Amino acid sequence: MPRFCEVAVPVPLNAIFTYSVPPDLPEPCIGGRVIVPFREKRLSGIVTDLHDREPSFEAKSVQLVLDTTPALTAELMQLGRWIAQYYIAPIGEVLRTMLPLSAEFRRATGYHITDKGIEALHAASTVGSSLRARIAPEQQMLEYAVLNHLADGEVVRETSLRSATGASRAVLLGMLRKKWIAREDRSGVRDASRTIQIASLRQIEGKLNSNQQKIIDYLRAQPEERAPVPAIRKLAVSRTTLQTLVRRGIVELSEEPAEFRLSGLKPRKLEFRFTPAQRTALTEIGIAVQSGKFTPMLLHGVTGSGKTAVYLSAMQSLLSQGRSAILLVPEIGLTPALAADLHQVFGDEVAILHSALTDDERAEQWKRIRNGQAHIVVGTRSAVFAPVSDLALLIVDEEHDLSYKQEESPRYHARDVAVMRAKMSHAVVVLGSATPSLETYYNAQGGKYRLLELPERIEKRPLPEVEIIDMREEFQRSKKDSVLADKLLEELGERLLRGEQAMVLLNRRGYSAFVLCRECGETVQCKNCAIAMTYHQREHRLICHYCGFVRPAPKTCPKCGSEYVQYLGTGSEKLEHILHSIFPQARIGRLDRDTVRGRDDLEAMLSALQAREIDLLVGTQMIAKGHDLPSVTLVGVVGSDSALGFPDFRAAERTFQLLTQVAGRAGRGTTPGKVVLQTFFPNHYAIQFAAAHDYRGFYEKEARFRSWMHYPPFNAVSNVLVRSSKLEEALTWSGILGKWFQSSRLDGVRVMGPAAAPIVRLKAEYRYHFLLKSKSRQRMNAVLCAMIDHALDNRIPRGNLVVDVDALSLI
Ligand SMILES: [Zn+2]
Ligand SMILES: [Zn+2]
């Protein structure tokens, strides 16, 4: 047995640590988890190497071996190393992100009573209890309760001690200082053979309130009218609602092994009627899979061309061969309805991974994949790390979607990781989109990716006609500053009269975008961010959309006290009100982050639309994403160009994508669709090409601009952000790095900055940044690594320095 192991622990340090392996422990393995002491804590880390080389210092010992077979296969370990190197991210953090098993290891602190504590307890007990209750201040009462709770000498975890006694952390710290109690690390592995509570519906009797009804309706919709309790908790009803139902005998709870699953479905053969283009794409994908060679492909299909059918069919043909596939979908694309469809198609062969799963559920899905019970994986960003064996096909749906980029460390892009994973596994990777990112289309143009095209909608349905309304002319003509153009109102009225459905996109939530004082000209800003706060009418308060800070809606200016405060700018909440006043008969629904709190809300709104319980849907970009709504025949776009005003070189691309995607919601059924697009920049090429459904035209124009400006896809860009809660620190540190960039040899890397970030203060931190551009990723990587070393030498904490390789967001 090797005497030492190298362990990657989840800390923001770019290092691996050596530990000794005590002979009485099971033998660890590379890619397996171990518990190790790290500073004052115990951490779960991944073994990256085993050896007998004695280190020059005294190595601490591994405390526990969690896996004797790898949790991360050699293939995934290799992928993790690539991510750490490419994105300049600490390896321990990368490996932790790849392995969703944190639920099995709980960090916890335990307390036990000391001899001094027992003395104190005795002293307190000799005073009569009633007297004590009268004279002891609250602090002493709590201390007494804690000592009493620990009196039998057992170690009690901090969480249970605090909930049993009501003592705060401060009380416990005070007692630690008096040496009445002692603390120890009680982190450990939880019992893996856990059970789960299942609720089943019994007799319904008596009156029910709406929350109780919500639970009943949910259970009724489940097979055998039973569901796991954690799923019911997600219905956003309070704990006591379920308890009441149990007490009244309406719902019964039982314990079942954690492997409990609702379906026992076998995969079902799909029957699709494919267009010739779909068939060609499928054949090409099939041939590439059979070749056993790394083949990256771009599936460029217009909206409504049937990309999903191609994905499902391609994945299903792998099942009979016993091989595996992963389908990545954007954050919002994975609705419960899609999950249900996938279960229908793939039965128990599919594992679904998304952000709404609890840690335990995620770990369970992960184990099913690892054990080879599920060969098909569908999930959001982190599903790219699913531990499938014999990976043949990786698909990234809506590959241009921003949710594939993780905006915290490690800042990886799941699409690019998917391509790298496919390369390492000799697999096929299909990137699908109606509006491919410039990077991906550039690769297809240059022959790096094979281009598959679906140029037509299924059943030869036409793409919607797009009419551009120049809002400057509209203002000239009507002399009023209206949110909705007459033409759009007219078209909406017609649709409502004909009993068809319509959608209106306004990509800004809330009621009024900002609050302005007429007297001093100030807008009400967030106290944590350099951003105007948005008025939300229903809550009657101002909310910061960046940090969530809330304040009451002011009647007078917080700055000068003037009464002339004005609420300006329109958000989706106000648009709903406006439409309601114009079309009082219409049933209007709204889809934005205020109305959609969880996956179920989105689902409920979409099915209401499908069931024609809603005539008109208002919303933010949420309404633009992938939903297939056959009865929508009109899409209105209000304030379509707001993104064009942002200081972001991707603004035109984002506008083009958003407009094309939302236009794609119109006319997916038998009636042709129409789009009315209101804009202040009717001649902007992003708007012109979107209206003409001309992706190629847009790409060529945008590519020329990117090339001149040395932006992606022609150059790599990285954003380096220096942040601190103290302005002085942020300035000093960015100054130190600025000097270093100036005095270093950076051949081939251009550096811009330091400059104040577009949002100079965010979440109570001041932010300055540098933008790096280079034709050579290698050079850029070397410069960034050297810069980090210089920063650490100058005592700039690593946590205050954000290095974002291939940055998507520059705010
Ligand atoms: Zn004022
Ligand atoms: Zn804020």
Side-chain angles (χ1 to χ4, degrees):
M1 183 154 121
R3 290 165 53 217
F4 298 98
C5 63
E6 304 293 309
V7 181
V9 288
V11 289
L13 296 169
N14 196 21
I16 285 177
F17 300 88
T18 309
Y19 290 90
S20 67
V21 186
D24 55 325
L25 285 185
E27 184 172 340
C29 60
I30 294 176
R33 292 163 305 157
V34 289
I35 303 292
V36 292
F38 188 85
R39 295 189 180 148
E40 304 293 284
K41 296 182 200 143
R42 284 150 52 102
L43 294 176
S44 165
I46 304 277
V47 177
T48 60
D49 196 15
L50 293 161
H51 58 85
D52 285 318
R53 300 185 301 273
E54 184 100 40
S56 56
F57 53 91
E58 196 177 340
K60 290 184 186 170
S61 299
V62 169
Q63 292 179 344
L64 261 178
V65 175
L66 297 186
D67 302 303
T68 48
T69 56
L72 288 172
T73 57
E75 178 213 344
L76 286 171
M77 289 292 282
Q78 189 195 358
L79 187 65
R81 282 194 203 98
W82 177 81
I83 291 172
Q85 192 259 328
Y86 183 93
Y87 291 102
I88 315 182
I91 180 76
E93 288 186 352
V94 173
L95 298 182
R96 178 187 54 187
T97 304
M98 297 174 76
L99 197 62
L101 296 178
S102 57
E104 290 186 2
F105 177 73
R106 282 276 149 91
R107 297 256 291 273
T109 310
Y111 291 91
H112 62 85
I113 196 165
T114 60
D115 290 344
K116 259 187 122 168
I118 293 170
E119 275 171 38
L121 183 62
H122 281 307
S125 305
T126 51
V127 187
S129 62
S130 59
L131 179 68
R132 192 180 58 243
R134 243 183 298 139
I135 60 167
E138 195 187 9
Q139 164 98 3
Q140 271 168 305
M141 291 294 291
L142 288 170
E143 288 179 351
Y144 180 76
V146 169
L147 291 174
N148 216 14
H149 198 81
L150 297 173
D152 60 4
E154 293 284 314
V155 178
V156 178
R157 287 193 172 203
E158 178 171 327
T159 41
S160 30
L161 184 62
R162 284 173 57 184
S163 66
T165 61
S168 65
R169 175 159 289 162
V171 170
L172 296 180
L173 286 177
M175 294 175 72
L176 276 173
R177 276 194 296 272
K178 287 194 265 193
K179 297 208 164 58
W180 286 358
I181 56 173
R183 181 159 62 176
E184 59 186 85
D185 190 337
R186 296 296 281 178
S187 309
V189 184
R190 288 160 68 218
D191 186 6
S193 63
R194 58 182 193 93
T195 56
I196 188 168
Q197 271 197 321
I198 303 292
S200 17
L201 195 57
R202 296 181 69 198
Q203 209 73 15
I204 301 174
E205 272 170 51
K207 273 206 184 129
L208 298 171
N209 68 29
S210 66
N211 275 340
Q212 291 166 342
Q213 191 63 46
K214 214 166 160 182
I215 295 179
I216 304 288
D217 290 343
Y218 179 76
L219 284 173
R220 274 217 177 115
Q222 305 305 315
E224 297 175 47
E225 304 193 330
R226 57 212 300 270
V229 170
I232 294 175
R233 297 255 155 80
K234 281 188 216 147
L235 298 176
V237 294
S238 76
R239 249 157 221 277
T240 51
T241 312
L242 183 62
Q243 282 162 5
T244 309
L245 290 173
V246 172
R247 211 171 46 240
R248 285 170 57 183
I250 297 172
V251 169
E252 185 180 55
L253 296 182
S254 56
E255 296 277 331
E256 307 236 354
E259 281 86 56
F260 173 85
R261 276 204 307 282
L262 293 167
S263 74
L265 292 168
K266 294 260 172 301
R268 190 172 53 118
K269 191 77 197 144
L270 284 170
E271 299 290 341
F272 286 117
R273 279 188 301 144
F274 287 122
T275 62
Q278 281 176 311
R279 210 167 297 129
T280 308
L282 264 173
T283 312
E284 290 245 2
I285 294 170
I287 292 171
V289 167
Q290 292 306 327
S291 79
K293 289 194 194 115
F294 166 58
T295 318
M297 295 174 152
L298 164 61
L299 180 63
H300 178 211
V302 299
T303 56
S305 59
K307 291 186 287 292
T308 308
V310 172
Y311 304 151
L312 296 184
S313 186
M315 291 197 293
Q316 195 162 45
S317 58
L318 292 175
L319 268 187
S320 54
Q321 306 165 31
R323 307 194 66 193
S324 300
I326 299 174
L327 167 62
L328 299 183
V329 294
E331 221 16 273
I332 198 150
L334 194 51
T335 59
L338 175 62
D341 283 353
L342 290 164
H343 271 292
Q344 284 286 320
V345 175
F346 296 112
D348 283 349
E349 277 285 359
V350 68
I352 295 178
L353 297 166
H354 57 72
S355 57
L357 295 180
T358 64
D359 287 352
D360 284 341
E361 288 168 333
R362 191 184 299 276
E364 235 162 82
Q365 295 286 327
W366 188 90
K367 280 181 189 153
R368 287 182 55 227
I369 301 165
R370 183 80 177 89
N371 298 338
Q373 290 165 293
H375 287 94
I376 304 289
V377 177
V378 182
T380 48
R381 188 170 59 224
S382 65
V384 72
F385 305 123
V388 293
S389 56
D390 196 12
L391 177 65
L393 177 63
L394 253 157
I395 301 169
V396 185
D397 185 25
E398 311 286 358
E399 65 85 31
H400 64 276
D401 197 277
L402 298 180
S403 69
Y404 288 124
K405 181 78 157 66
Q406 175 147 301
E407 293 296 352
E408 59 189 65
S409 178
R411 296 172 172 263
Y412 69 95
H413 196 304
R415 174 198 61 213
D416 299 340
V417 172
V419 173
M420 186 44 72
R421 183 167 181 191
K423 190 173 180 185
M424 289 174 175
S425 312
H426 310 287
V428 174
V429 59
V430 177
L431 311 180
S433 178
T435 51
S437 62
L438 264 269
E439 286 87 341
T440 297
Y441 203 79
Y442 175 75
N443 283 331
Q445 288 292 97
K448 247 177 113 180
Y449 295 175
R450 194 173 300 170
L451 181 61
L452 307 173
E453 287 186 297
L454 305 177
E456 281 181 2
R457 285 187 158 186
I458 50 166
E459 289 164 17
K460 297 226 183 295
R461 283 173 195 149
L463 284 162
E465 174 207 340
V466 181
E467 182 173 349
I468 298 175
I469 309 282
D470 184 343
M471 289 307 277
R472 296 169 306 186
E473 272 176 24
E474 182 81 9
F475 180 72
Q476 288 291 319
R477 197 170 48 73
S478 69
K479 296 283 175 236
K480 54 181 199 249
D481 189 14
S482 43
V483 178
L484 295 159
D486 292 343
K487 177 69 184 168
L488 177 55
L489 288 175
E490 184 188 312
E491 296 270 354
L492 281 169
E494 270 177 37
R495 293 310 183 292
L496 292 170
L497 217 59
R498 292 210 296 260
E500 294 171 11
Q501 289 176 314
M503 296 190 345
V504 183
L505 168 85
L506 171 56
N507 202 14
R508 185 197 296 139
R509 65 192 175 96
Y511 196 86
S512 303
F514 54 96
V515 181
L516 180 83
C517 170
R518 282 283 174 195
E519 207 100 320
C520 71
E522 288 285 327
T523 55
V524 179
Q525 300 240 322
C526 172
K527 79 166 189 197
N528 304 318
C529 313
I531 277 290
M533 295 185 76
T534 305
Y535 174 55
H536 287 247
Q537 192 189 52
R538 198 179 57 177
E539 295 100 334
H540 191 60
R541 55 191 193 179
L542 305 185
I543 301 176
C544 171
H545 287 180
Y546 289 84
C547 75
F549 175 70
V550 169
R551 56 165 296 162
K555 284 199 183 64
T556 54
C557 172
K559 191 127 195 178
C560 73
S562 148
E563 284 176 17
Y564 297 97
V565 285
Q566 277 199 321
Y567 289 66
L568 296 172
T570 306
S572 50
E573 189 185 10
K574 187 166 169 188
L575 183 62
E576 185 190 356
H577 282 238
I578 294 173
L579 282 166
H580 203 79
S581 63
I582 300 173
F583 304 110
Q585 309 296 329
R587 296 163 300 175
I588 302 176
R590 174 156 60 96
L591 207 57
D592 57 30
R593 265 204 291 138
D594 298 312
T595 58
V596 176
R597 296 283 181 193
R599 241 152 251 277
D600 299 323
D601 296 332
L602 175 64
E603 191 66 8
M605 190 60 87
L606 292 177
S607 45
L609 203 66
Q610 249 145 14
R612 296 177 156 268
E613 291 159 10
I614 288 174
D615 306 309
L616 190 52
L617 184 67
V618 176
T620 57
Q621 56 176 332
M622 254 187 203
I623 65 173
K625 306 260 167 128
H627 320 301
D628 198 15
L629 305 160
S631 343
V632 171
T633 59
L634 175 71
V635 170
V637 185
V638 178
S640 55
D641 36 32
S642 55
L644 292 174
F646 285 137
D648 181 346
F649 70 88
R650 286 193 176 86
E653 183 181 10
R654 282 188 191 147
T655 302
F656 176 82
Q657 285 167 347
L658 178 63
L659 295 180
T660 305
Q661 294 288 344
V662 74
R665 297 317 106 204
R668 295 171 78 98
T670 42
T671 320
K674 171 152 190 185
V675 179
V676 176
L677 211 160
Q678 297 184 185
T679 177
F680 285 98
F681 308 99
N683 298 319
H684 193 286
Y685 62 99
I687 289 174
Q688 287 287 334
F689 285 119
H693 307 290
D694 184 359
Y695 176 82
R696 268 302 287 269
F698 173 75
Y699 171 81
E700 273 157 20
K701 173 107 184 168
E702 179 70 6
R704 268 199 300 279
F705 159 71
R706 300 279 185 96
S707 166
W708 288 332
M709 300 296 292
H710 304 283
Y711 279 129
F714 303 94
N715 281 57
V717 298
S718 298
N719 194 27
V720 172
L721 189 82
V722 181
R723 59 184 184 192
S724 170
S725 55
K726 298 193 190 87
L727 175 62
E728 206 184 284
E729 275 181 352
L731 284 170
T732 312
W733 292 340
S734 52
I736 291 173
L737 295 183
K739 275 207 198 85
W740 183 82
F741 279 126
Q742 267 175 11
S743 62
S744 304
R745 267 177 51 100
L746 304 170
D747 37 358
V749 182
R750 295 155 188 264
V751 180
M752 294 183 293
I759 300 179
V760 65
R761 190 158 177 266
L762 187 68
K763 298 179 183 173
E765 283 182 319
Y766 294 91
R767 311 153 80 239
Y768 288 81
H769 77 143
F770 300 86
L771 195 66
L772 279 67
K773 297 179 188 173
S774 179
K775 278 218 180 296
S776 158
R777 292 189 165 279
Q778 245 174 338
R779 280 297 308 154
M780 170 113 77
N781 193 285
V783 166
L784 287 169
C785 288
M787 178 212 69
I788 291 174
D789 287 344
H790 183 74
L792 295 179
D793 288 348
N794 284 277
R795 298 174 173 275
I796 301 174
R798 183 67 179 85
N800 294 61
L801 188 62
V802 177
V803 176
D804 194 357
V805 176
D806 298 340
L808 282 189
S809 165
L810 298 179
I811 62 157

